[in-house]
Amino acid sequence: MFFRKGSPRHVRAGKAFVASMLIMAVGAVYLGIVKDQPSNIGGGIITFYLIGTGWLTARRGEREISRMDWVALLIPLTLGILIWTNGIAVLRSGATSQNGVPVGMSLFMGSICLLAAAGDVRMLLRGGVFGVNRIARHLWRMCFGLFIAAGSFFMGPSNRPLRLLSAVGIGQHLPSALFSTGLYLFLSILPLLLLIFWLVRVRFTNAFKGKAMSPSGGVYRLPT
């Protein structure tokens, strides 16, 4: 988030981020199946999709697509339709949540899935993505995947941050203010706030005008 885009530190940190996020997403799907938690299954799948396609966007050249992109399109499209259908059914039943997840959040995630699917369709019809659009596609998919992970960790059940720090022997020595709901909420939405900042910077300023991404994930200026 904070390294200069295209710098060696940004590239190295990005590789570590992608690897850890993909492993986490696979683990979430597995545990969701074992524990019969549909929301974790869907969350793991969409996180894997977002991080995977965001990484591919950076790794590929300008206007480069493959048949795999048509297959990947089915993931957010299917999930978006299923989530919206289920959310409407829950609302019609008079409930406001399902398995502890508010319907509003479910519909929000369903809308994000459909937005991602629309972006895939646009990319495929145009024969690829390039310029600032390519940077923005990479950016929002990576950041939103982090938003899902942060929300799951900080706002999940049983105070996961405290449990983690206590497991390594330091949680009990830290002030209680570090484990407040307000701080957890801020840290959960921080990736979303940074996503908005970077999208505005990419789309509506001259910071990335005339620039493209190299297959290594770096950002370089196009010749004029």
Side-chain angles (χ1 to χ4, degrees):
M1 285 287 190
F2 298 102
F3 290 148
R4 181 176 61 83
K5 301 301 173 281
S7 68
R9 290 186 298 176
H10 174 236
V11 174
R12 288 195 296 270
K15 291 178 179 178
F17 171 75
V18 169
S20 61
M21 287 290 290
L22 294 181
I23 292 171
M24 180 207 67
V26 171
V29 173
Y30 170 75
L31 291 175
I33 294 173
V34 172
K35 297 184 177 183
D36 191 23
Q37 299 173 336
S39 60
N40 281 337
I41 297 173
I45 292 174
I46 193 60
T47 300
F48 190 97
Y49 159 82
L50 288 172
I51 299 300
T53 54
W55 175 76
L56 285 175
T57 299
R59 294 296 300 175
R60 289 175 171 171
E62 299 276 305
R63 298 182 180 272
E64 184 178 345
I65 60 175
S66 70
R67 294 179 181 178
M68 185 58 67
D69 293 307
W70 290 97
V71 177
L73 165 63
L74 299 177
I75 296 176
L77 183 61
T78 302
L79 282 176
I81 293 173
L82 289 176
I83 292 172
W84 261 92
T85 301
N86 182 69
I88 293 175
V90 172
L91 288 176
R92 286 181 174 176
S93 70
T96 58
S97 65
Q98 185 179 43
N99 298 323
V101 180
V103 177
M105 177 56 69
S106 296
L107 296 179
F108 171 67
M109 291 302 301
S111 299
I112 293 297
C113 289
L114 295 177
L115 178 64
D120 285 352
V121 171
R122 182 184 180 188
M123 178 192 72
L124 291 167
L125 293 179
R126 288 188 170 188
V129 63
F130 52 92
V132 293
N133 290 332
R134 185 171 171 226
I135 298 173
R137 176 182 168 89
H138 167 75
L139 171 69
W140 89 261
R141 288 168 185 257
M142 291 293 196
C143 290
F144 202 88
L146 180 58
F147 166 69
I148 295 174
S152 298
F153 178 66
F154 290 110
M155 303 305 293
S158 305
N159 202 331
R160 288 171 177 167
L162 178 59
R163 287 169 54 198
L164 174 63
L165 293 175
S166 297
V168 297
I170 61 174
Q172 60 271 30
H173 304 297
L174 297 174
S176 58
L178 293 177
F179 306 103
S180 64
T181 302
L183 180 60
Y184 286 171
L185 180 61
F186 171 73
L187 292 175
S188 296
I189 66 173
L190 181 58
L192 196 60
L193 297 176
L194 292 173
L195 164 60
I196 295 171
F197 167 80
W198 278 110
L199 279 182
V200 170
R201 182 171 171 79
V202 168
R203 290 287 192 180
F204 302 108
T205 71
N206 294 323
F208 290 86
K209 296 296 184 183
K211 293 184 178 181
M213 299 180 66
S214 69
S216 64
V219 178
Y220 63 92
R221 182 168 295 279
L222 294 172
T224 56

